[in-house]
């Protein structure tokens, strides 16, 4: 069932389009939003299910590396802020699963695909969070990269996805600021605290660059997804924007971006920088990153531990339905 839903078709050349497909593409070109019950090409629907589903999974798996620090936050205030952020990620997952459901896939099917490894989630969450400074780096860099990718998605062509993104982006900017605030505090602290902040930047820099996906020449889906306005920018465009925005922030903190080849390029009006190690990226998305097994194991356990609760809800819903039918 799931394979049928997510296998992305290899693109829709305009010249081979049916009248219906051409009319659809013209709506996209006019920036009209596509709504759930309207006709859409099968490939468009499947690409959206893949992307929105992966995005939803990233939100709920993304709770784990930070959830790891709630019990060890250094102050009550930091604990309350981190708790709120991690709860927000659960909310983002719910908006996105709901948006995916409007395309005809159930939440259970999506979760089953996550748990069986058929569906991906963002590579970044397969890296460990080793120190409190990692909470700063994750908020600053990971949420910063997420915002860079997600702000343009507020204009994506599928209505429910675009609308979910508006609220998510508002919350993500709070997340990014709380991360940067942790980094500022640590960089203004003792030499040991500043060294922890530098170490966190060193470990999270390249994995954050990988969040934008492979370089454009290797991106499988970008061309078709951009024609359908499911994606608004290429992976490399967003990665460049992220580097240009983040390097001055690192300088303000007095930290060094771990890239000896990082240089401002006057001609292009942006930084030249080293590419991530793409073999590491492909290993991580194939399931062989440092924490893949742990992350997936935690999600599967949460699903199994919650079975009694789902059963209870269903039993209640069945009883309520039976009472309604009896009363009619
Ligand atoms: N991780 O053709 P491409 C967050 C896969 S975190 C894993 O360029 P596409 C958050 C890709 O799926 C961010 N897999 O793909 C922050 C494809 O494989 P399949 C979540 C990746 O889809 C803080 C293959 O590589 N955000 O929100 O056009 C706390 C070829 O790539 C990754 C979103 O999901 C990766 N980094 O472009 C909590 C945003 N990159 O599927 C949560 C929406 C690529 O063919 N998604 N792959 O097997 C997107 O914008 C796009 O899906 C991507 C990839 C830019 C990520």
């Amino acid at each position: 069932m799931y394979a049928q839903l997510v296998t992305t078709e290899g693109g829709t050349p305009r010249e081979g389009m049916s009248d219906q497909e051409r009319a659809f593409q013209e709506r996209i070109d006019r920036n009209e939003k596509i709504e759930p019950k309207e006709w859409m090409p099968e490939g468009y629907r499947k690409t959206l299910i893949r992307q929105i589903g992966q995005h939803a999974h990233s939100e709920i798996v993304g709770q784990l590396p930070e959830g790891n620090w709630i019990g060890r936050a250094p102050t009550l205030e930091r604990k309350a802020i981190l708790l709120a952020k991690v709860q927000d990620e659960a909310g983002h997952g719910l908006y996105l699963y709901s948006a995916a459901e409007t395309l005809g896939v159930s939440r259970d099917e999506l979760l089953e695909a996550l748990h069986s490894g058929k569906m991906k989630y963002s590579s970044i969450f397969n890296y460990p969070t080793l120190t409190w400074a990692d909470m700063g780096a994750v908020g600053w860099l990971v949420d910063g990269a997420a915002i860079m990718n997600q702000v343009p998605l507020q204009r994506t062509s599928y209505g429910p996805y675009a609308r979910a993104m508006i609220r998510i982006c508002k919350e993500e900017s709070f997340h990014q600021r709380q991360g940067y605030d942790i980094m500022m505090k640590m960089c203004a602290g003792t030499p040991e605290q500043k060294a922890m902040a530098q170490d966190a930047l060193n470990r999270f820099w390249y994995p954050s660059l990988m969040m934008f996906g492979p370089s454009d020449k290797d991106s499988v889906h970008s061309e078709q997804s951009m024609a359908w306005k499911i994606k608004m920018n290429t992976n490399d465009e967003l990665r460049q924007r992220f580097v240009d925005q983040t390097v001055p922030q690192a300088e303000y903190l007095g930290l060094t971006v771990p890239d000896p080849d990082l240089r401002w390029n006057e001609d292009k009006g942006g930084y030249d920088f080293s590419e991530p190690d793409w073999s590491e990226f492909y290993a991580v998305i194939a399931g062989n990153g440092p924490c893949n097994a742990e992350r997936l194991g935690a999600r599967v356990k949460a699903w199994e531990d919650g079975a009694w609760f789902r059963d209870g809800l269903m039993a209640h819903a069945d009883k309520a339905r039976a009472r309604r039918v009896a009363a009619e």
Side-chain angles (χ1 to χ4, degrees):
M1 173 68 181
Y2 174 73
Q4 287 168 0
L5 285 166
V6 293
T7 310
T8 314
E9 287 155 3
T12 322
R14 232 163 218 268
E15 57 277 16
M17 284 182 186
S18 65
D19 289 348
Q20 205 171 25
E21 285 166 343
R22 198 180 300 276
F24 177 83
Q25 188 63 48
E26 282 165 8
R27 290 189 63 198
I28 301 268
D29 296 343
R30 286 196 299 271
N31 290 326
E32 280 180 31
K33 290 276 178 271
I34 308 301
E35 296 298 338
K37 302 277 185 225
E38 294 172 347
W39 184 86
M40 60 186 77
E42 218 19 47
Y44 178 85
R45 192 172 72 88
K46 287 174 181 171
T47 302
L48 278 170
I49 291 175
R50 182 182 62 80
Q51 181 168 317
I52 302 173
Q54 272 179 207
H55 194 163
H57 297 329
S58 304
E59 299 286 354
I60 62 164
V61 177
Q63 293 184 282
L64 299 168
E66 290 177 293
N68 173 37
W69 277 92
I70 292 171
R72 293 178 288 165
T75 67
L76 181 60
E77 192 190 8
R78 290 287 180 199
K79 190 199 275 271
I81 294 170
L82 186 61
L83 197 57
K85 178 191 190 293
V86 173
Q87 283 177 340
D88 284 351
E89 311 299 359
H92 298 175
L94 294 182
Y95 314 151
L96 289 163
Y97 284 123
S98 298
E101 281 180 308
T102 65
L103 292 153
V105 63
S106 73
R107 197 171 302 197
D108 284 2
E109 283 173 301
L110 290 169
L111 287 169
E112 152 58 24
L114 170 69
H115 297 157
S116 62
K118 284 193 205 117
M119 246 180 134
K120 296 187 168 72
Y121 56 88
S122 182
S123 50
I124 190 72
F125 302 118
N126 294 307
Y127 291 86
T129 45
L130 303 176
T131 72
W132 174 251
D134 289 8
M135 293 303 94
V138 167
W140 172 34
L141 301 173
V142 175
D143 290 85
I147 296 171
M148 195 55 82
N149 169 287
Q150 290 168 19
V151 164
L153 290 178
Q154 294 176 108
R155 290 179 289 113
T156 193
S157 60
Y158 188 56
Y161 191 25
R163 290 188 286 274
M165 276 302 136
I166 293 171
R167 184 152 174 192
I168 291 178
C169 283
K170 287 208 172 92
E171 291 171 352
E172 292 291 6
S173 52
F174 149 64
H175 297 172
Q176 197 267 354
R177 275 150 198 251
Q178 69 85 38
Y180 197 69
D181 186 62
I182 293 175
M183 293 306 268
M184 288 215 297
K185 199 80 179 172
M186 296 205 68
C187 289
T190 62
E192 288 79 6
Q193 285 170 322
K194 188 158 184 190
M196 279 168 71
Q198 179 65 55
D199 173 61
L201 170 59
N202 293 349
R203 282 180 291 106
F204 276 94
W205 177 252
Y206 286 105
S208 299
L209 297 188
M210 292 176 196
M211 285 175 69
F212 297 95
S215 52
D216 290 352
K217 63 178 172 25
D218 298 317
S219 170
V220 188
H221 304 294
S222 283
E223 194 183 343
Q224 179 62 75
S225 289
M226 286 180 70
W228 276 329
K229 296 188 184 162
I230 289 174
K231 271 170 96 162
M232 306 304 286
N233 301 91
T234 73
N235 301 351
D236 285 338
E237 277 168 9
L238 293 174
R239 193 168 11 251
Q240 179 73 51
R241 275 190 212 170
F242 174 74
V243 172
D244 293 345
Q245 174 185 284
T246 309
V247 170
Q249 295 172 351
E251 284 167 358
Y252 184 78
L253 292 170
L255 297 179
T256 308
V257 172
D259 178 358
D261 295 326
L262 184 78
R263 244 163 233 103
W264 178 256
N265 180 332
E266 198 59 54
D267 294 337
K268 79 171 180 191
Y271 285 91
D272 290 332
F273 59 94
S274 307
E275 297 260 314
D277 174 354
W278 291 116
S279 61
E280 177 182 318
F281 169 77
Y282 285 112
V284 171
I285 67 172
N288 301 317
C291 299
N292 293 61
E294 186 185 330
R295 301 293 185 236
L296 214 48
R299 287 306 328 164
V300 171
K301 181 172 184 312
W303 176 256
E304 286 168 355
D305 289 352
W308 67 271
F309 187 71
R310 291 191 303 277
D311 289 348
L313 284 179
M314 290 312 290
H316 178 74
D318 287 345
K319 264 198 179 152
R321 197 174 310 121
R323 267 201 303 273
R324 254 199 329 272
V325 171
E328 275 167 14

